[in-house]
Amino acid sequence: MNDIQILGKIPLYGEISTQGSKNAVLPMMAASLLHRGTTTLMNVPCIEDVSCMVGILEKLGAKVAREGRQMTIDASCLDSCEISLDYVRKMRSSIMVLGPLVARMGQAVTHYPGGCSIGKRPVDYHVQLLRDLGLTVTEEDGRIEVKADRYEGTELSLCFPSVGATENAIMAAVGARGETVIRGCAREPEIVELCCFLAKMGIETLGAGSGTIRVRGQRSRKDPIYRVCGDRIAAGTYLAAAAVTGGEICLTDVPVSYMDTTLRALCACGCLIMTENDRVRLQAPKVLKPLSYLETAVYPGFPTDMQSVFLAMLCLAPGESRIRETIFEGRFETAAELAHMGAYIEVKENCARIVSDGRLKGAQVTARDLRGGAALIVAGLAAEGRTVVKECDHVDRGYEDIITDMRQLGASVERIRDTKAHRNMAG
Ligand code: UD1
């Protein structure tokens, strides 16, 4: 098992660049299936979820080559319509391959991805939108099959602005004849990025970033080359890490315009933030301020993916803070782990009340999910003594190399492969 050991209370200083965005690159990789040619993506993060998506594309017959952070996907010939079950289990976002695959092949098969530790995460919106688009969807024993001969552009409407369902609907609509109007869309930056990427393929969309997106059904015309933007959640995590340690860091390659609410929340905690183009400098206050109320919301609201990291950060802000989670029902699991470090967090339904004396102590804790794991690393950086975060494979799904990055900023962090090694070190 992949554990991380941290010796806390070392202020972070220095400058590093931000990795490419996980949530932007995954739909782009799926969308590469729409193109009977070669797609080139740059600034692709080397993370587990990307490797998983590579596996899916290769099993469908695409040829994928990676050189550092550059990836080429040759989807000229595909020889399968079935998304491999192995990958469906590993990564929920495999569902977003359905739309482009059916648009390209007229048929697509996957399996129900099931729940995960942050909530039930059903795929009913995805399925409904594909049906509303005129596709035949059959669901049997967890298998989902989508079929279409020719389908026409139409009007679609989302009952909740789901990010993944919006992306799936856009990509499926590319295969329709005529225009599809999608209402009630998510406005997340990753959707804007997806549509800019599609434009490089010669596929026209209108309205990305607003609640209504129009997609003109058409064939891709150009081999796209696209640079993936910086990861707003990874950037937010690193800024929070500097904030809790009382340090001062500068991040480059930050998608500043996509991070407004996160940067505002950091300011509200007393951090001094300076931005210039794609650079963000954070100077931590001597003592963090608590937040009387922070609520997650769909974009442009405060991102649910930052919630766990802020939960950890507010455990170090003397006083009382409150967080309400409105997107995923099970996203306070990290609270119990933080309690092992001396945090006092009362969770009632989707609200957490944090009462802090400004200190955490090192302990052995377990990463329950990707962002929760990152939150525990942030907590460990500020805690007194040694923290071991177990099961950090979750963290590797989304962070390229958090250990090297934290070390570069001066932290004492190392990976310990198994618990026996840890016991020996502890002894
Ligand atoms: C994406 C992000 C994830 C982020 C989330 C919300 C990727 C790869 N992942 O996930 O990091 O936390 O947006 O910003 O981009 N829902 C349904 N039925 C559905 C689909 C969603 O009930 O068919 C519910 C979910 O359970 C959740 C809410 O809608 O409660 C939002 O989910 P959604 O926006 O779809 O998140 P994802 O696209 O899965």
Side-chain angles (χ1 to χ4, degrees), residues 29 32 37-42 44 54 57-58 62-67 69-75 224-225:
M29 290 173 72
S32 71
T38 302
T39 293
T40 304
L41 293 170
M42 290 175 304
V44 175
V54 168
L57 300 181
E58 285 179 338
K63 293 184 180 57
V64 184
R66 287 168 88 171
E67 210 182 304
R69 295 198 174 95
Q70 181 166 317
M71 176 180 287
T72 52
I73 304 165
D74 179 357
I225 302 177

Side-chain angles (χ1 to χ4, degrees), residues 83-100:
I83 302 164
S84 163
L85 188 55
D86 299 345
Y87 296 111
V88 172
R89 292 216 172 104
K90 274 195 201 153
M91 187 177 66
R92 194 195 129 80
S93 342
S94 57
I95 191 72
M96 68 176 76
V97 178
L98 262 191

Side-chain angles (χ1 to χ4, degrees), residues 236-258:
T237 305
Y238 288 10
L239 292 174
V244 294
T245 59
E248 181 173 347
I249 66 165
C250 180
L251 293 183
T252 59
D253 231 342
V254 180
V256 175
S257 61
Y258 294 158

Side-chain angles (χ1 to χ4, degrees), residues 88 174 262 328:
V88 172
V174 171
T262 301
F328 290 107

Side-chain angles (χ1 to χ4, degrees), residues 22-24 26-27 49 91-96 112 118-128 158-167 186 188 190 232-233 297-299 303-306 325-329 331 370-371 397:
K22 168 177 97 67
N23 289 355
L26 294 174
D49 274 12
M91 187 177 66
R92 194 195 129 80
S93 342
S94 57
I95 191 72
M96 68 176 76
Y112 195 77
I118 65 169
K120 291 196 285 287
R121 305 190 82 177
V123 294
D124 51 339
Y125 304 159
H126 299 250
V127 167
Q128 191 56 47
L158 280 95
C159 56
F160 175 85
S162 152
V163 179
T166 302
E167 291 163 344
E188 264 67 3
E190 292 73 22
R232 61 190 173 112
I233 307 300
V298 295
Y299 192 83
T304 174
D305 284 349
M306 282 309 312
E325 169 60 57
T326 71
I327 309 294
F328 290 107
E329 70 277 10
R331 222 171 189 182
L370 164 58
R371 304 302 171 188
R397 278 190 38 226

